[in-house]
Every structure is written in structure tokens, then in C-alpha cells.
Amino acid sequence: MSDAGPGTLAVPDGCHTVEGRASDQDVAVVASRYNSDVVQRLLDGAVARLKERGIAADRITVVLVPGAWELPLACRRLAEAGSHQAVVALGCVIRGGTPHFEYVCSEASRGVIQAALDTGVPVGFGLLTCDTVEQALDRAGGASGNKGADAADAALEMAGLLRALPRGSRR
């Protein structure tokens, strides 16, 4: 069930486990101002979750961008700067009557993952792509939880995991 979020897995006996848990991280949150009523809830959820996980407020940088289209560039710039161990991308695109929705959602999503892949800095994905405002509100602290908080969790866990995983050169 995708709305349930990450669950718990039983690691088979004898296998080594590496998990990511990190509270001593500097985290950037990039939030779109478009659909600000929804994104504000995502932002509040993400920051609250980071604080719950032990990230001090002075270690959280919030960067505001005009819309979802601008999320990837800001995420990439923050990841490249090297001063943040994780980035969280937050935004909301609601389907309209034109194909614009598909272009923005597809390219913003692609750009966010590309920023993470190119820099090696995890970027939590909190971009809502919904058909209606009601669906967006459900995912921004309503019946379906807060996807901003979920994206913050994922970014922190991946930052801790990457810190724990071995690094090496390709052969």
C-alpha cells in the first residue's frame, strides 16, 4: 500500500543490516510558493518532523522558490554546495484543463531525482501531484498524513544510510 509509507522488513538470519539514522545533519528544505496553502502544511510537517528527529532549528535552511518547476534547480544548487547532508523538496501541482500539469509534474520529478543522483546528496520527494485540492489537502496533513513529514523522514534516513554505506571507486 503506497499510502502506508515505509514499513518494517525482517532481515534474514545471518545477513548484515545497514540502516540510516542521523540527527546531526544540516538539512535544506526547498518549498514552492505555488499553491501556498497546501505547501505551507507540507513545510510545517517537514520542519516539525526534522525537529522530532533531533535536527535543531538552526540546522534547517528553508529556501522558497516560485513553483514546482523551480524545485530541481534550487535542490541541485543546495546539494552541490556541500553544506547540507540532505535536501527536502516540497511543492504541489493540481491538475488543470491543459497538458501543462503533465509537463510540470514530470520534469520537476525528473529534475529532483537527477539532483540527488548527480550530487550524491539525498533529496526527499514531497511534491504532491494531485487531481483536486481536496486530494492535496488530504496529503498535506489530512486523512492521508503529511507527505512533507514523510519526505523529511526519507531524506534523513537516506543521509544516514549513505554515511554508513561504503564508498569506493568504480572498476
Side-chain angles (χ1 to χ4, degrees):
M1 299 177 70
S2 62
D3 282 342
T8 303
L9 296 175
V11 177
D13 290 339
C15 294
H16 179 69
T17 303
V18 177
E19 293 187 66
R21 302 282 184 252
S23 61
D24 61 338
Q25 306 284 334
D26 289 300
V27 180
V29 180
V30 182
S32 163
R33 293 191 321 265
Y34 206 86
N35 290 315
S36 61
D37 53 335
V38 174
V39 179
Q40 183 66 60
R41 295 171 189 213
L42 295 172
L43 177 59
D44 292 344
V47 170
R49 183 61 51 84
L50 292 170
K51 289 179 180 178
E52 285 171 20
R53 299 291 185 250
I55 306 298
D58 64 349
R59 297 188 85 165
I60 301 169
T61 301
V62 177
V63 176
L64 304 178
V65 297
W69 188 261
E70 292 78 24
L71 287 170
L73 183 58
C75 289
R76 183 183 189 100
R77 179 65 59 93
L78 288 160
E80 287 174 339
S83 56
H84 298 93
Q85 288 75 46
V87 177
V88 181
L90 303 175
C92 177
V93 183
I94 298 172
R95 187 180 301 279
T98 69
H100 181 73
F101 172 87
E102 282 81 11
Y103 297 122
V104 172
C105 295
S106 177
E107 292 305 308
S109 300
R110 184 191 60 76
V112 167
I113 189 59
Q114 199 63 52
L117 292 172
D118 289 350
T119 65
V121 174
V123 181
F125 187 71
L127 173 61
L128 301 181
T129 56
C130 300
D131 291 323
T132 66
V133 172
E134 293 76 24
Q135 287 177 346
L137 291 171
D138 278 348
R139 289 159 178 76
S144 297
N146 190 303
K147 302 309 177 189
D150 294 347
D153 272 338
L156 272 185
E157 183 173 342
M158 286 304 297
L161 181 62
L162 290 175
R163 187 190 280 179
L165 288 174
R167 294 184 74 129
S169 60
R170 292 188 201 184
R171 295 178 194 209

